[in-house]
Amino acid sequence: MYNLLKGKKGIIFGALDENSIAWKVAERAHEEGATFVLTNAPIAMRMGEIKNLAEKTGSEIIPADATSMEDLENLVEQSMEILGGKIDFVLHSIGMSINVRKGNHYTNSNYDFTHKGFDVSALSFHRVMNVLYNKKAMNNWGSIVALTYMAAQRVFPDYNDMADNKAYLESIARSFGYFFGRDHKVRVNTISQSPTQTRAGSGVKGFSGFLNYAEKMSPLGNASALECADYTIAMFSDLTKMVTLQNLMHDGGFSNMGISDIIMDDFIDKTEG
Ligand SMILES: NC(=O)c1ccc[n+]([C@@H]2O[C@H](COP(=O)([O-])OP(=O)(O)OC[C@H]3O[C@@H](n4cnc5c(N)ncnc54)[C@H](O)[C@@H]3O)[C@@H](O)[C@H]2O)c1
């Protein structure tokens, strides 16, 4: 390991089980010398797995519903106390759509569910940054990252209302990132990750199709959760100090592909000369 985060303090949202991208980020951040607080929705705590991660990484857990300003204020205050100062890095790794969960088609959304999913998956990022900004909780040259998916830019029909949530999330990164950069020298970016087998990922209808298609389309194949964690660590480290307001594609090249040989093969008329 490289001690890339030696002495740095952070808050990591969204580690649910060992498949979670946030789980891998926590393990890698620990290996790179960081100390951090783990947080998740109180309901996710009851599943208990996060305690194993906390033990393994010597971290404390503070429950917080990312849609509650009160919870977030408590989280940030307590984190600064536990960690003994301001925060250097924050990972927002939160996503949930009730329309997806209930199998509601995009063309027939339940708007109460749409509101809830938007609040959890997108607006929560604004709330988190609002609390960090107004409490002046971030150190200069700190780094904030949220995870996103390419359905924010391109149509993936079964990604449903999460596509709209991700578009809003990415926009928040730019809009809030401006003020955070200008006033606190803090950078804000989103990482747009390949389809990955996790609890949130597998909830999407036809997920294996997403996964296999992207694997065959990308020159490097799909990026794993661990590889996403490595990239996130790089974004938290001092090696990326001038990168901000970006949506960073971490997808093995998928987003710039038109067609790959292997997919083309499936469509070629074999009787052609
Ligand atoms: N898995 C993929 O294919 C994929 C691809 C690109 C981006 N992403 C994004 O990565 C992020 C992490 O997802 P994951 O794939 O690791 O799945 P995951 O299910 O392990 O993580 C989602 C997390 O969101 C948390 N969460 C839900 N509601 C919350 C609330 N109200 N307050 C606080 N936390 C809450 C869950 O408890 C869970 O820990 C999400 O933003 C997801 O959209 C995932």
Side-chain angles (χ1 to χ4, degrees):
M1 298 308 132
Y2 314 94
N3 271 332
L4 283 174
L5 303 185
K6 193 160 191 258
K8 292 197 187 292
K9 308 176 183 84
I11 301 177
I12 298 179
F13 287 83
L16 180 67
D17 58 35
E18 62 180 9
N19 297 319
S20 300
I21 299 168
W23 190 285
K24 310 280 185 214
V25 172
E27 288 181 332
R28 288 292 293 111
H30 178 61
E31 287 169 2
E32 294 295 342
T35 51
F36 47 83
V37 163
L38 295 168
T39 181
N40 209 323
I43 191 160
M45 300 289 166
R46 277 184 234 136
M47 298 184 205
E49 288 190 50
I50 195 173
K51 290 202 188 91
N52 303 334
L53 180 65
E55 267 167 38
K56 195 173 164 187
T57 58
S59 313
E60 294 214 26
I61 307 170
I62 303 175
D65 178 342
T67 65
S68 157
M69 290 303 280
E70 201 186 327
D71 283 11
L72 291 173
E73 278 165 10
N74 176 58
L75 167 70
V76 169
E77 278 161 22
Q78 274 201 50
S79 297
M80 286 199 288
E81 258 179 56
I82 291 167
L83 299 169
K86 293 193 186 196
I87 311 297
D88 299 294
F89 65 90
V90 175
L91 176 68
H92 178 287
S93 184
I94 300 172
M96 191 279 300
S97 158
I98 311 178
N99 281 309
V100 167
R101 237 192 247 163
K102 301 265 188 205
N104 291 341
H105 195 263
Y106 185 74
T107 55
N108 192 21
S109 298
N110 172 317
Y111 295 112
D112 291 334
F113 296 168
T114 307
H115 273 293
K116 183 66 190 166
F118 165 72
D119 206 11
V120 170
S121 309
L123 204 56
S124 62
F125 192 37
H126 197 286
R127 290 182 194 277
V128 168
M129 287 198 280
N130 173 342
V131 173
L132 292 165
Y133 180 92
N134 286 304
K135 289 195 178 297
K136 298 188 172 48
M138 294 293 295
N139 271 322
N140 283 0
W141 302 108
S143 174
I144 301 173
V145 168
L147 297 180
T148 186
Y149 181 57
M150 215 186 53
Q153 288 81 34
R154 302 201 188 163
V155 178
F156 292 83
D158 290 326
Y159 205 67
N160 210 316
D161 56 358
M162 278 304 289
D164 307 328
N165 293 335
K166 291 305 192 191
Y168 199 95
L169 178 90
E170 291 174 16
S171 181
I172 289 173
R174 289 184 291 271
S175 303
F176 221 127
Y178 168 71
F179 296 106
F180 246 130
R182 187 193 69 180
D183 300 340
H184 300 298
K185 294 278 177 279
V186 168
R187 60 200 187 279
V188 182
N189 295 285
T190 48
I191 294 179
S192 187
Q193 163 67 5
S194 295
T196 316
Q197 198 82 51
T198 62
R199 184 77 62 97
S202 320
V204 176
K205 192 170 148 228
F207 187 72
S208 61
F210 270 114
L211 204 82
N212 296 334
Y213 178 74
E215 174 73 24
K216 286 186 175 179
M217 185 65 107
S218 317
L220 298 180
N222 286 333
S224 68
L226 183 58
E227 284 156 345
C228 184
D230 281 339
Y231 192 31
T232 308
I233 298 298
M235 290 311 301
F236 289 159
S237 81
D238 290 337
L239 301 178
T240 56
K241 274 165 89 171
M242 295 307 285
V243 181
T244 196
L245 312 186
Q246 302 300 314
N247 182 42
L248 304 162
M249 308 311 295
H250 187 254
D251 63 358
F254 180 85
S255 46
N256 268 346
M257 289 299 295
I259 187 98
S260 65
D261 294 331
I262 192 164
I263 288 179
M264 184 75 115
D265 264 0
D266 288 343
F267 291 91
I268 287 177
D269 178 353
K270 303 290 187 235
T271 63
E272 211 173 59

